[in-house]
Amino acid sequence: AASQRAKMAAPKPRAAGEAPTGSVPAGYTALTVKFSERQRSGHCLLVKEHQVREGADTAHPPRRTLFVLNVPPYCSSDALSRLFSRCGHVQSVDICEKPGPVEKTQKNTSKFFNLKTIAGFRIAYVVFRKPSGVQAAKALSQEGPLLISTESHPVKTGISKWIDSYAASVVDPEELKAEVDAYMQDYDKKMAEEEAKAAEEEGVPDEEGWVKVTRKGRKPGLPRTEAANLRVLEKEKQKRARKELLNFYAWQHRETKREHIAQLRKKFEEDKQRIALMRAQRKFRPY
């Protein structure tokens, strides 16, 4: 009887990579993933339905977004999209450093600017086209470990990854110039649209009857270049230097004048004494 009770109390062995029941936070589901088929131990992803107030996070709509914790550094957005594509059509995957509301903005498509690398374990938002994809993703815990790197979609690590990172860090001047030119064309187009809109609204009263007054006159000045701005700043600096007086306060100015007059009088008295001495020393010597 004692041996039978010991067998009943013994914990049930769990599969490699399966998270203990007590270690999974409430509301989350543990999904076991492996880097490749040769890897023996697995890694646990914690997933749950992303629940926020309606309109609080426009980029990650509720009921269609899967919130993923404990994403390893080698797992990219493409790998996550491929992992959960069996649950339904994946609309987007956003990997972030920490959770928080994210407004729906234009993604960075630049290859050279605004590149931010997140180190360590991260979190991810997987947006499905239909709400059924979220429920199907949570049901993957009943299946075996999911593979991140496969023969058809290998994930590079180690030296091969470093070589690719170094090759990507070498800037192609022609490609950089093309990207900068395209950005400046979009910027000039946007500024021209804003100027045209401002010109249309100039002199037109608003709903309350107010007219917006701008600094633009009949003869608007030419746009200044950087060299022209530097010359203007240098002239203003010289002008301020000329205006700065040594004696700033009025009483200091009067005191300086008084000292100057006293020095002039003292010198005048010394000159009178010197002339009187020279006259006294002059003698008439006919022989």
Side-chain angles (χ1 to χ4, degrees):
S3 61
Q4 187 176 2
R5 287 195 300 269
K7 290 181 180 179
M8 293 176 63
K12 181 182 177 181
R14 65 178 187 271
E18 183 181 354
T21 306
S23 63
V24 179
Y28 287 88
T29 304
L31 302 182
T32 304
V33 297
K34 294 199 317 184
F35 178 75
S36 62
E37 190 68 37
R38 295 180 299 175
Q39 187 179 5
R40 295 183 179 180
S41 61
H43 179 79
C44 288
L45 297 179
L46 302 177
V47 300
K48 74 170 185 177
E49 181 181 348
H50 182 52
Q51 298 177 352
V52 293
R53 295 191 306 271
E54 192 70 27
D57 192 353
T58 57
H60 309 135
R63 299 196 313 143
R64 292 195 297 113
T65 304
L66 184 71
F67 180 62
V68 187
L69 281 178
N70 205 24
V71 179
Y74 52 81
C75 188
S76 62
S77 58
D78 294 336
L80 282 179
S81 177
R82 182 174 49 81
L83 284 179
F84 293 107
S85 61
R86 67 185 69 183
C87 304
H89 180 78
V90 178
Q91 185 173 341
S92 64
V93 176
D94 294 331
I95 297 180
C96 309
E97 186 176 3
K98 57 183 179 180
V102 180
E103 295 296 334
K104 189 173 182 180
T105 56
Q106 184 178 4
K107 291 187 177 180
N108 179 31
T109 58
S110 175
K111 186 180 177 182
F112 307 99
F113 305 101
N114 300 328
L115 301 179
K116 183 180 179 181
T117 303
I118 304 175
F121 288 83
R122 303 159 292 177
I123 61 108
Y125 296 92
V126 182
V127 182
F128 292 92
R129 179 175 291 178
K130 297 181 179 180
S132 59
V134 176
Q135 305 303 327
K138 292 193 291 184
L140 291 176
S141 59
Q142 307 299 328
E143 301 182 8
L146 306 176
L147 299 181
I148 295 177
S149 179
T150 59
E151 294 183 359
S152 58
H153 299 86
V155 177
K156 293 184 179 181
T157 58
I159 296 179
S160 59
K161 182 179 179 181
W162 297 342
I163 292 175
D164 290 347
S165 299
Y166 175 76
S169 65
V170 178
V171 178
D172 185 7
E174 297 297 331
E175 191 174 358
L176 177 61
K177 183 177 182 299
E179 181 175 336
V180 172
D181 292 342
Y183 177 83
M184 292 306 300
Q185 288 178 2
D186 295 341
Y187 177 78
D188 293 340
K189 182 179 179 181
K190 181 180 178 181
M191 294 301 297
E193 292 177 355
E194 291 181 357
E195 290 180 358
K197 183 178 179 181
E200 292 178 359
E201 296 178 353
E202 185 178 2
V204 178
D206 56 7
E207 298 177 355
E208 299 180 356
W210 294 93
V211 178
K212 183 178 179 181
V213 180
T214 61
R215 302 177 66 179
K216 184 177 179 181
R218 295 182 179 178
K219 297 180 180 180
L222 296 176
R224 293 182 178 178
T225 61
E226 186 176 359
N229 290 333
L230 291 177
R231 288 196 298 270
V232 172
L233 292 176
E234 186 65 25
K235 288 183 178 179
E236 291 179 356
K237 185 178 179 181
Q238 294 177 359
K239 189 176 180 180
R240 286 196 304 267
R242 288 194 300 267
K243 286 185 176 180
E244 288 179 356
L245 299 176
L246 180 61
N247 300 318
F248 182 77
Y249 297 102
W251 64 270
Q252 289 182 336
H253 191 57
R254 290 195 300 270
E255 195 68 23
T256 304
K257 283 186 175 181
R258 191 178 293 110
E259 291 177 359
H260 182 63
I261 293 174
Q263 290 179 0
L264 290 177
R265 289 178 177 176
K266 181 179 179 181
K267 187 177 179 182
F268 178 72
E269 295 295 333
E270 290 177 354
D271 291 343
K272 284 174 61 177
Q273 293 178 4
R274 189 181 299 109
I275 292 173
L277 181 61
M278 292 174 62
R279 286 180 177 177
Q281 290 177 355
R282 188 173 57 182
K283 298 179 180 179
F284 179 74
R285 296 176 181 178
Y287 302 104

